Amino acid sequence: MGCCNRGCGFLAGAAFGAVLAILGGVLIPLGDSIIEGTVKKEAVIENGTTAYENWETTGSAVYRQFWFLEVKNPQEVLDGGTPVVQEKGPYTYRTRYLPKQDIRFNPNQTVSYVQPLGAIFEPSMSVGSEEDKVTSLNLGVVGAFKLLPPKILNVLIKRTNSSLFQRRTVREMLWGYKDPIFKFLVGVFVPYNGSVDGNYTIYNGKDDISKVGIIDRWRGETSLPFWNDTYCDMINGTDASSFPPFVNNEKPLFFYSSDICRSVSATFERTVNVKGIDMFHFTLNPSTLASPTVNPDNRCFCPDPKVSKNCTLAGVLDISACQDGKPIYISLPHFLHGSPSLREDVLGLNPSEEHHNTFLDVEPITGFTMKFAKRIQVNMMYGPSKDITIFNKVKDYTVFPIVWLNETAELDDETADMFKSEITGRIQILKTLQMVLLGVGLATFVICLICYCVVRSRNNKSATV
């Protein structure tokens, strides 16, 4: 009787273990379903959701750091020499601190808004003051290089006693000064303070969470007006502040940047941990600024074969079409991923993948961008001209670096703790419970079943004897 009770007990234990294992197994899809449902609900951009709170006003401080590429030998350049530049910075400003405005929820599950722009100088994060002076290109002269007939420009240059280079304060170079040639405000980022980026219309994700944050229209249009090509004028993805949840790291992330007047993509590089949260680290695809000979899709981004050496030049983007015709070229800092000739035409540049590439750290479950660095360099182009005195000794077209910026942000400690507590912490507890139930259940089932078999074998031997 005792052996029977013992065997029955082991059978009961095995059954109990099986129930625990089944419960743990059932919790896996059930738990995943609960997680998915919660994330889908909170990722919708509407009043009261986590996504809306983070979307309406940027929770973390966003900074723009500027490094000027100061010209060290201006007179030599005028005499036909090769320019030499030296990096000077950072000069840091807080930006994107204003909440979105003119928010309108539309019947087709989209939301429209504009993003006000502003910049507040941060002396403690800068190497000097806004009154520091830098020697750089004369923005008015070079800006007029493609806009005015050469002989007229030459007369204006002489009449205003202008030259190819000038010495201006940081504040003037960034935010504007009255140009003696044009008689209006010119600057690298004019206009900026008091202006807006947009109007944007994005999907709110209510009827399809896979579309949340994706741009439907920019300035009222579904495509761009700059490139005269269906492919290059496409508006793809989000604004990079967030992406649809449940990010697949085998697929690129697409986003539109109004700073460079085009859509780009980023590819997964590795998993990183930021303040205790695992994230997918995406970097700008190297083919983004490749020459059309390497990436044929970029053919429509090459409007001027003369400057781009028959579209073989890599690493720069001519955005004059969206800058009122001014010869402005965008690149990565120090011409990272650019043709060697760019760094041979202007000496003193040292590109670094770590310090000069753009990256996004995206939390894969929610799709929120928790840390990023958008790094771009603003350049202008000038070239030889027999009708403009200061360009008489210029040998070839030169894409000249003026300033590069690093727009960056990282979630703060309070937000990280809240995220871990409200989202990743609960997910981890649920997964731990699943594994414990499955592991204990299987172990109990196997051990009890083995014990039952041993007891039964002994009973059979006793009965035979």
Side-chain angles (χ1 to χ4, degrees):
M1 187 69 178
C3 289
C4 179
N5 288 341
R6 209 180 315 159
C8 291
F10 286 135
L11 272 179
F16 178 69
V19 170
L20 286 179
I22 291 170
L23 183 60
V26 168
L27 273 179
I28 293 176
L30 180 62
D32 290 346
S33 177
I34 293 172
I35 293 167
E36 184 176 340
T38 301
V39 170
K40 284 183 176 181
K41 179 182 177 182
E42 291 300 316
V44 172
I45 299 175
E46 64 177 358
N47 280 305
T49 65
T50 302
Y52 183 84
E53 293 176 7
N54 288 281
W55 171 81
E56 183 185 24
T57 304
T58 304
S60 302
V62 181
Y63 297 100
R64 273 195 174 191
Q65 302 170 293
F66 296 97
W67 285 265
F68 288 89
L69 285 311
E70 186 168 38
V71 186
K72 305 309 292 182
N73 59 339
Q75 187 56 51
E76 288 181 28
V77 178
L78 293 173
D79 293 336
T82 302
V84 177
V85 297
Q86 184 175 11
E87 191 174 89
K88 184 176 183 178
Y91 295 90
T92 304
Y93 295 77
R94 184 172 180 186
T95 186
R96 295 192 180 274
Y97 53 87
L98 296 168
K100 292 176 174 62
Q101 295 179 352
D102 299 336
I103 297 174
R104 304 185 312 277
F105 289 93
N106 306 312
N108 64 342
Q109 306 301 343
T110 62
V111 55
S112 301
Y113 66 95
V114 296
Q115 177 65 64
L117 301 177
I120 301 173
F121 186 61
E122 296 284 350
S124 64
M125 302 173 68
S126 304
V127 297
S129 77
E130 288 185 289
E131 304 312 311
D132 287 0
K133 289 193 172 183
V134 293
T135 301
S136 186
L137 278 183
N138 188 319
L139 303 181
V141 169
V142 180
F145 181 74
K146 286 180 66 176
L147 297 176
L148 297 178
K151 291 183 179 179
I152 293 178
L153 178 56
N154 193 49
V155 170
L156 290 173
I157 289 173
K158 291 181 177 179
R159 183 179 297 170
T160 58
N161 197 30
S162 299
S163 183
L164 180 58
F165 300 102
Q166 62 179 345
R167 192 158 177 80
R168 293 277 181 181
T169 67
V170 168
R171 187 201 303 272
E172 289 175 322
M173 287 296 295
L174 292 177
W175 315 120
Y177 59 91
K178 187 175 181 179
D179 180 71
I181 292 178
F182 287 108
K183 304 300 183 184
F184 56 70
L185 208 62
V186 299
V188 179
F189 295 97
V190 172
Y192 192 81
N193 285 311
S195 64
V196 297
D197 181 20
N199 186 301
Y200 286 89
T201 298
I202 65 173
Y203 291 98
N204 66 9
K206 191 158 187 176
D207 62 347
D208 184 355
I209 200 64
S210 68
K211 295 169 69 175
V212 66
I214 291 177
I215 299 170
D216 175 44
R217 295 174 183 271
W218 182 69
R219 294 183 177 176
E221 302 295 334
T222 57
S223 61
L224 302 173
F226 306 128
W227 306 105
N228 297 315
D229 182 90
T230 302
Y231 175 80
C232 285
D233 282 328
M234 287 193 299
I235 301 174
N236 291 331
T238 72
D239 66 355
S241 62
S242 67
F243 298 89
F246 312 111
V247 175
N248 183 348
N249 62 10
E250 295 181 354
K251 296 181 178 180
L253 295 178
F254 291 93
F255 55 96
Y256 171 68
S257 174
S258 60
D259 287 325
I260 63 173
C261 313
R262 63 164 290 188
S263 300
V264 296
S265 65
T267 52
F268 174 76
E269 189 174 274
R270 64 184 184 274
T271 297
V272 297
N273 188 280
V274 179
K275 298 190 175 181
I277 304 170
D278 286 336
M279 301 186 194
F280 288 166
H281 184 80
F282 286 83
T283 56
L284 193 67
N285 196 323
S287 67
T288 300
L289 296 177
S291 74
T293 56
V294 175
N295 181 7
D297 288 339
N298 283 345
R299 175 67 60 179
C300 42
F301 292 121
C302 180
D304 191 341
K306 185 183 294 184
V307 175
S308 61
K309 306 182 190 302
N310 289 321
C311 297
T312 62
L313 195 66
V316 293
L317 175 69
D318 179 355
I319 63 168
S320 56
C322 64
Q323 295 295 325
D324 301 318
K326 295 187 287 292
I328 297 176
Y329 288 71
I330 293 297
S331 69
L332 290 175
H334 290 239
F335 295 127
L336 177 69
H337 300 162
S339 296
S341 62
L342 293 166
R343 294 183 293 277
E344 293 166 0
D345 293 343
V346 179
L347 304 178
L349 301 171
N350 298 288
S352 160
E353 194 77 33
E354 179 183 359
H355 296 107
H356 299 144
N357 202 6
T358 290
F359 73 83
L360 305 163
D361 288 340
V362 180
E363 199 287 312
I365 297 173
T366 62
F368 295 160
T369 302
M370 300 293 198
K371 182 179 180 180
F372 72 89
K374 180 174 71 176
R375 294 157 173 165
I376 58 176
Q377 181 171 288
V378 180
N379 315 274
M380 295 188 78
M381 181 278 297
Y382 62 85
S385 173
K386 61 180 178 13
D387 295 321
I388 305 174
T389 304
I390 62 173
F391 294 132
N392 284 168
K393 295 182 180 180
V394 174
K395 299 182 180 66
D396 199 358
Y397 288 98
T398 303
V399 179
F400 202 101
I402 299 171
V403 63
W404 74 270
L405 70 87
N406 175 31
E407 182 174 286
T408 184
E410 180 178 356
L411 80 166
D412 54 41
D413 293 338
E414 183 180 350
T415 304
D417 291 340
M418 181 277 293
F419 190 86
K420 286 184 285 188
S421 172
E422 297 296 324
I423 299 178
T424 57
R426 294 182 181 182
I427 292 172
Q428 193 57 48
I429 290 172
L430 188 57
K431 287 185 175 180
T432 300
L433 180 60
Q434 293 169 354
M435 293 301 104
V436 168
L437 288 174
L438 190 61
V440 170
L442 286 174
T444 303
F445 174 77
V446 171
I447 292 171
C448 289
L449 191 61
I450 291 173
C451 291
Y452 170 77
C453 291
V454 170
V455 170
R456 183 164 182 177
S457 175
R458 288 176 179 175
N459 287 346
N460 289 337
K461 288 180 180 179
S462 299
T464 303
V465 174

